[in-house]
């Protein structure tokens, strides 16, 4: 069952955004969570391996990672990030601290430290998958004793005082991470590097006729009908395979489009992309003044009561996002309003396959319920699936 054609309306400063979410029917959805990270350390260098944590039903293709299908002695061979592969690999994140003998262009140091091909490293940098900080950040609780030892060694006051690059900065300011955008960027001893060797991939980007998804083009903005299974503005490790990037190319624009707001990767619907930095500020002002309204259409396997639904979200910026119906001190308030709930035909096999609707053991598949939803709080990662779970 497809949603009606999206409509966008500009009047008196009000922009009505309609979003469709076609993941599994929201009732009875299981929580999707990753297992704790396992760190394997050599000096400060570590490899983070996480069990696959999928944000939506497109995840089986979303997390196709960058590497050649070939292997030598059971180890992956790396070639280039493009073309986008169809197979998946576990996430791999390397944490490095540059030693004195490692000073020089960042690409050269990563090549020697990780034994990766130069073109592959250049691709990672282009994708935004390499980050740095002038001073090594505080290790996480899962860090090994060796990692903690190295951190203490490279952040001693006596060591930091000798580094001209941090003069005028607090330690916290110097520990802030930034993306590396130039393979030739110089890195000095003590610089912290985080390399996402297997960035999250979005193969759906290469299957879409992006020009057909453009709804409106104005002097200061573009309205896009975002496809499901894509990212609006990118992820920590991939700012290349995004709606903003592909819409820019589809329109032949010289200046890249800029994101003004987000909707979940597994949702599809209207997003506004700014053509100028000035319009980013204008649109953010509209959001702040509540002149922007997002309406979602979601499928449920059972009738959903009309009115405001309230949940509370644990204020931890990591998966799993825990929510509770009971008030918990310090947890974020999450509210949505179910405006309509109407009976519709259960999705046919073609729609189920296209939108990856999984069989969760429902006894009856005669009808579903299409809900029109208004997110009132718009918390980061306030996922419709989580908020409506168990209704």
């Amino acid at each position: 069952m497809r949603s009606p054609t999206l409509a966008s309306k500009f009047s008196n400063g009000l922009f009505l955004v309609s979003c469709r979410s076609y993941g599994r029917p929201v009732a009875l959805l299981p929580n999707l969570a990753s297992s704790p990270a396992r760190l394997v350390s050599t000096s400060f260098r570590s490899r983070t391996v996480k069990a696959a944590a999928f944000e939506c039903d497109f995840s089986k293709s979303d997390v196709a990672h960058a590497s050649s299908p070939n292997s030598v002695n059971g180890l992956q061979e790396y070639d280039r990030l493009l073309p986008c592969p169809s197979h998946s690999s576990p996430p791999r994140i390397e944490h490095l601290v540059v030693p004195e003998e490692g000073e020089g262009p960042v690409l050269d140091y990563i090549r020697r430290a990780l034994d990766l091909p130069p073109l592959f490293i250049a691709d990672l940098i282009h994708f935004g998958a390499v980050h740095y900080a002038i001073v090594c950040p505080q290790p996480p609780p899962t860090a090994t004793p060796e990692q903690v030892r190295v951190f203490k060694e490279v952040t001693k006051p006596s060591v930091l005082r000798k580094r001209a690059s941090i003069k005028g900065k607090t330690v916290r300011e110097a520990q802030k991470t930034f993306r590396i955008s130039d393979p030739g960027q110089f890195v000095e001893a003590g610089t912290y590097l985080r390399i996402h060797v297997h960035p999250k991939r979005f193969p759906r980007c290469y299957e879409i006729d992006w020009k057909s998804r453009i709804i409106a083009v104005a002097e200061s903005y573009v309205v896009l009908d975002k496809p499901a299974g894509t990212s609006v503005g990118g992820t920590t490790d991939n700012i290349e395979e995004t709606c903003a990037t592909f819409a820019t190319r589809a329109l032949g624009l010289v200046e890249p489009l800029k994101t003004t707001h987000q909707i979940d990767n597994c949702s599809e619907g209207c997003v506004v992309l700014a053509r100028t930095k000035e319009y980013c500020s204008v649109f953010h002002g509209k959001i702040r003044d509540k002149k922007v309204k997002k309406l979602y259409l979601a499928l449920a396997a059972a009738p959903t009561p009309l009115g405001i639904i309230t949940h509370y979200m644990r204020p931890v910026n990591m998966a799993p996002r825990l929510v509770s119906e009971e008030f918990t001190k310090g947890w974020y308030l999450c509210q949505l309003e179910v405006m309509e709930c109407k009976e519709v035909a259960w999705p046919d096999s073609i729609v189920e396959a296209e939108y990856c609707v999984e069989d969760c053991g429902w006894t009856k598949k005669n009808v579903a319920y299409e809900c029109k939803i208004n997110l009132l709080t718009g918390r980061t990662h306030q996922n419709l699936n989580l908020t409506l779970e168990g209704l």
Side-chain angles (χ1 to χ4, degrees):
M1 183 279 305
R2 288 184 178 273
S3 177
T5 304
L6 292 176
S8 58
K9 178 171 63 179
F10 290 81
S11 63
N12 300 323
L14 173 66
F15 177 57
L16 176 63
V17 185
S18 241
C19 302
R20 301 188 293 272
S21 181
Y22 282 110
R24 283 170 286 173
V26 292
L28 306 179
L29 276 172
N31 283 328
L32 300 173
S34 63
S35 66
R38 177 171 63 86
L39 299 177
V40 182
S41 171
T42 303
S43 150
F44 188 77
R45 171 181 168 184
S46 66
R47 179 174 302 171
T48 302
V49 181
K50 293 183 179 179
F54 301 135
E55 293 181 339
C56 64
D57 295 314
F58 286 91
S59 56
K60 293 178 182 177
S61 59
D62 282 351
V63 292
H65 292 295
S67 64
S68 166
N70 301 322
S71 63
V72 177
N73 297 326
L75 300 176
Q76 288 182 323
E77 277 189 3
Y78 294 93
D79 185 15
R80 300 295 300 271
L81 286 179
L82 293 176
C84 187
S86 58
H87 68 286
S88 300
S89 301
R92 175 186 170 190
I93 304 174
E94 298 285 355
H95 304 269
L96 308 175
V97 175
V98 179
E100 288 187 7
E101 64 272 18
E103 288 190 334
V106 64
L107 186 149
D108 290 344
Y109 172 68
I110 295 175
R111 176 181 58 81
R112 295 193 302 271
L114 301 182
D115 193 24
L116 294 173
L119 288 178
F120 182 79
I121 300 169
D123 287 346
L124 289 176
I125 293 172
H126 177 69
F127 268 59
V130 180
H131 301 248
Y132 80 99
I134 299 174
V135 173
C136 181
Q138 179 80 31
T142 52
T144 65
E146 175 64 11
Q147 291 172 337
V148 174
R149 184 197 67 77
V150 173
F151 165 76
K152 291 180 178 179
E153 184 69 28
V154 299
T155 57
K156 286 180 179 178
S158 59
V159 173
L160 296 181
R161 279 196 295 267
K162 297 177 183 178
R163 298 185 58 187
S165 58
I166 68 172
K167 285 187 177 179
K169 298 182 178 70
T170 65
V171 172
R172 178 166 292 186
E173 289 172 341
Q175 289 176 326
K176 186 175 181 180
T177 56
F178 300 90
R179 278 193 174 92
I180 286 181
S181 57
D182 181 3
Q185 179 174 326
F186 181 86
V187 288
E188 65 178 13
T191 301
Y192 163 79
L193 294 173
R194 186 179 75 241
I195 302 100
H196 297 258
V197 183
H198 297 160
K200 181 178 175 67
R201 304 304 298 272
F202 295 91
R204 277 275 288 167
C205 288
Y206 304 96
E207 304 168 0
I208 302 299
D209 176 7
W210 288 92
K211 204 159 189 178
S212 70
R213 311 288 298 204
I214 304 296
I215 295 174
V217 178
E219 185 177 347
S220 54
Y221 62 83
V222 170
V223 182
L224 173 73
D225 182 5
K226 173 195 172 298
T230 62
S231 170
V232 177
T235 58
T236 303
D237 52 9
N238 188 343
I239 56 173
E240 167 65 18
E241 293 169 338
T242 70
C243 293
T245 298
F246 279 78
T248 298
R249 292 174 184 167
L251 293 171
L253 302 177
V254 176
E255 187 69 22
L257 292 168
K258 301 162 182 61
T259 58
T260 62
H261 64 108
Q262 299 281 348
I263 61 175
D264 289 346
N265 293 348
C266 50
S267 296
E268 65 176 50
C270 292
V271 293
V272 179
L273 302 171
R275 300 183 66 172
T276 64
K277 290 182 179 179
E278 291 74 20
Y279 190 75
C280 280
S281 299
V282 169
F283 195 80
H284 291 159
K286 292 180 182 293
I287 294 175
R288 185 173 56 252
D289 297 337
K290 300 190 181 299
K291 294 180 179 178
V292 176
K293 189 175 184 180
K294 289 185 181 181
L295 297 181
Y296 288 78
L297 291 180
L299 283 182
T304 302
L306 302 184
I308 295 176
I309 298 175
T310 299
H311 278 72
Y312 301 90
M313 181 186 292
R314 183 179 66 165
V316 176
N317 190 29
M318 60 183 293
R321 294 284 177 173
L322 297 185
V323 295
S324 170
E325 294 181 3
E326 302 297 327
F327 171 79
T328 304
K329 185 177 180 180
W331 285 32
Y332 297 139
L333 172 67
C334 301
Q335 288 186 315
L336 61 77
E337 179 186 9
V338 180
M339 304 172 68
E340 295 178 11
C341 182
K342 63 181 181 181
E343 185 178 296
V344 296
W346 190 275
D348 60 29
S349 58
I350 296 176
V351 174
E352 284 188 333
E354 182 178 357
Y355 292 101
C356 302
V357 178
E358 295 183 3
D359 189 345
C360 290
W362 295 290
T363 55
K364 295 182 180 179
K365 291 187 178 181
N366 299 322
V367 296
Y369 297 86
E370 184 181 271
C371 304
K372 181 184 289 187
I373 297 166
N374 178 26
L375 291 184
L376 300 177
T377 50
R379 293 288 183 188
T380 300
H381 298 293
Q382 181 184 340
N383 191 297
L384 285 176
N385 293 346
L386 287 176
T387 310
L388 287 180
E389 182 183 356
L391 290 179

